[in-house]
Amino acid sequence: MRKQRNRASFATKTRKKRTRRVSEKRRIQSRRKKGTKTYVFSLPPNHSFHANNRREAHEMIGEVTEQDREVLPQPVLSVIIPAMNEERTIAAVVREATRICRDAEVLVIVNGSTDGTANEAERAGARVLHYPEALGHDAGRRVGAASARGQILLFTDADILIPAEHLAPFVQAVLNGVDVALNNYNGPVTRSPVHPVVEAKHMLNSLLSRSDLGGASMTAIPHALSRQALEIIGISSLEIPPLAHAKAIFGGLRVQAVHHVPVGKWNAVRSTKRGGADLLSQVVLNDHLEAIRWMTDTRGPRGGYPDLQRVRSLAQ
């Protein structure tokens, strides 16, 4: 009898009300599952990060005493977050970053901000690097990497709230031997026409003989690097993500798309004037051109590809 009344009551609700109630219930359950968990990473014994002493090993798996903490030289993970006028979201982004690893450091590079971004980031537990002037696109990554102390560097943005559950796989991939762990995000390839930036990412991977990566790129967040990868790529290259991407592959690093994060859906929609120039897209396209120029400068005008039987000198 009670079941019948429940069914009758449910049937009388409008579809909109039922949908709202189900969505709210899922959100509550999601918070219960994800809201307090902190990840603990274990290291394979043959990994290059494997500790040679008890203190470093305990740091990496999150078992640190107060006495050990005083002498430990560096954290396992540095999370680097450039931010400019992101007061609304930065605290939540920092809190998710601190959930990835117990002893991670979170660096927020506040540049050109006129709001309370720096204060919110500090309250949430981040170490803030403050620059009154705007550093420009992706320069915050370079500044953060230069100050980072971790063996693994994870890059994300201040305006996209990515749960720790979607950030941890990038760290785990590096611990498992990947040098550059990319977001397995190809972009909206089914749209017509395909956005030029999406085409550029696929094209660059094709030129690098890594079509298996699809549209995965260091241009997209989140992504993670090993300390070894940073040394080979060079900190200055992080300011031009496609160039850093090309250097990583040419340098023989293990580059993999390890986890899918739908940043295109999660990214906050920015209001733009219709018909206006998309300056950010133009910057990203120019970055890809710079990566191609570096390839041709490094491996010849054909980027290392053979010219087969052509004798160009005879045609002059």
Side-chain angles (χ1 to χ4, degrees), residues 2-315:
R2 183 177 299 171
K3 289 183 179 179
Q4 290 178 350
R5 283 200 301 269
N6 286 343
R7 286 197 198 103
S9 175
F10 188 82
T12 58
K13 297 177 189 275
T14 65
R15 180 179 296 179
K16 187 174 182 180
K17 288 183 179 179
R18 291 199 302 267
T19 303
R20 187 185 305 128
R21 186 171 179 178
V22 170
S23 298
E24 180 62 25
K25 186 175 180 181
R26 287 175 180 172
R27 278 197 296 271
I28 293 171
Q29 290 174 343
S30 177
R31 291 191 201 107
R32 287 172 182 166
K33 291 177 182 178
K34 301 177 182 179
T36 58
K37 183 176 180 181
T38 302
Y39 279 79
V40 178
F41 297 109
S42 58
L43 303 179
N46 61 344
H47 197 277
S48 60
F49 291 163
H50 184 65
N52 294 321
N53 58 68
R54 179 185 61 85
R55 291 195 304 272
E56 189 175 355
H58 285 186
E59 167 76 354
M60 290 182 177
I61 63 174
E63 300 173 1
V64 185
T65 66
E66 289 303 320
Q67 182 179 0
D68 290 338
R69 195 185 302 276
E70 294 177 1
V71 296
L72 288 171
Q74 57 187 180
V76 176
L77 174 66
S78 294
V79 184
I80 298 169
I81 311 171
M84 179 178 175
N85 291 333
E86 301 296 350
E87 179 182 26
R88 185 177 61 85
T89 56
I90 188 61
V93 171
V94 170
R95 283 193 292 268
E96 288 300 320
T98 58
R99 288 179 52 223
I100 301 171
C101 183
R102 289 179 181 175
D103 298 291
E105 66 169 356
V106 180
L107 301 174
V108 176
I109 301 85
V110 180
N111 62 104
S113 287
T114 57
D115 63 3
T117 299
N119 292 334
E120 290 295 325
E122 285 182 348
R123 274 197 213 100
R127 178 158 69 97
V128 174
L129 306 179
H130 192 270
Y131 295 84
E133 68 280 1
L135 298 177
H137 191 59
D138 289 321
R141 295 187 187 184
R142 173 178 57 80
V143 171
S147 299
R149 298 180 299 117
Q151 287 295 321
I152 301 171
L153 282 70
L154 174 68
F155 298 86
T156 188
D157 284 347
D159 60 341
I160 307 178
L161 180 57
I162 302 176
E165 287 75 13
H166 284 283
L167 296 172
F170 297 90
V171 180
Q172 189 64 64
V174 177
L175 287 173
N176 290 340
V178 174
D179 293 300
V180 181
L182 301 175
N183 184 358
N184 190 17
Y185 175 72
N186 289 316
V189 294
T190 57
R191 288 184 185 174
S192 183
V194 177
H195 195 281
V197 168
V198 175
E199 289 183 320
K201 292 176 182 179
H202 284 262
M203 178 271 300
L204 181 61
N205 282 331
S206 181
L207 290 176
L208 292 167
S209 299
R210 290 298 307 271
S211 297
D212 60 295
L213 293 176
S217 168
M218 286 182 66
T219 301
I221 54 93
H223 61 266
L225 307 176
S226 66
R227 178 62 64 173
Q228 176 191 7
L230 182 65
E231 293 172 357
I232 291 175
I233 293 170
I235 289 177
S236 61
S237 297
L238 297 179
E239 203 165 337
I240 308 173
L243 176 60
H245 184 81
K247 286 186 175 182
I249 293 174
F250 271 25
L253 295 174
R254 188 177 175 190
V255 181
Q256 286 188 5
V258 301
H259 182 70
H260 176 71
V261 179
V263 289
K265 292 181 179 179
W266 291 357
N267 195 10
V269 177
R270 305 283 182 172
S271 59
T272 56
K273 295 180 180 180
R274 290 187 179 181
D278 187 351
L279 298 180
L280 179 57
S281 292
Q282 193 59 55
V283 168
V284 176
L285 291 175
N286 288 339
D287 286 350
H288 281 80
L289 291 175
E290 190 154 349
I292 294 171
R293 184 176 67 180
W294 177 84
M295 291 170 58
T296 57
D297 289 345
T298 303
R299 294 197 172 182
R302 294 183 59 82
Y305 289 97
D307 208 7
L308 298 180
Q309 304 300 320
R310 293 181 182 140
V311 184
R312 295 178 184 269
S313 60
L314 298 179

